[in-house]
Amino acid sequence: MTTGVRHVYAVGIGLGLVGSVATAAGLALAGSPATGGVALASTIGLVLGLVNLFDREDFDRDHSLAYRLGNWGGAVLAVALGLVMLAVGVASFLAFG
């Protein structure tokens, strides 16, 4: 069951990563390559989070019900914020690209 939480986090971070790259591309195409470069550099945190996600052993431990519920809540929040970032990235790319 903990593997499911890990995959939900991966989906959320992946959506945020795609949205961040789309935002950077939209800014670069809008004639602001420096701002696009800064936006692209901010994706490093998402990449590191995605890499670290599958190296962590926290998900494999037997935790309390409250911890597991909080973990699922965080995973759902990560997906929601990933969808928001994707929407912002697509809107930015369509508006400026």
Side-chain angles (χ1 to χ4, degrees):
M1 185 162 188
T2 56
T3 306
V5 174
R6 191 181 304 231
H7 288 124
V8 173
Y9 271 116
V11 167
I13 294 172
L15 288 170
L17 184 62
V18 171
S20 182
V21 170
T23 301
L27 289 170
L29 290 173
S32 181
T35 308
V38 170
L40 188 61
S42 70
T43 63
I44 292 172
L46 292 169
V47 169
L48 292 176
L50 193 58
V51 168
N52 187 32
L53 182 66
F54 290 100
D55 290 340
R56 294 187 62 157
E57 297 175 2
D58 296 355
F59 293 102
D60 300 328
R61 295 184 188 147
D62 189 25
H63 291 287
S64 67
L65 178 62
Y67 182 89
R68 287 180 288 174
L69 288 175
N71 205 6
W72 272 105
V76 170
L77 182 64
V79 170
L81 292 176
L83 286 171
V84 169
M85 190 63 217
L86 182 63
V88 168
V90 169
S92 171
F93 187 78
L94 291 177
F96 300 125

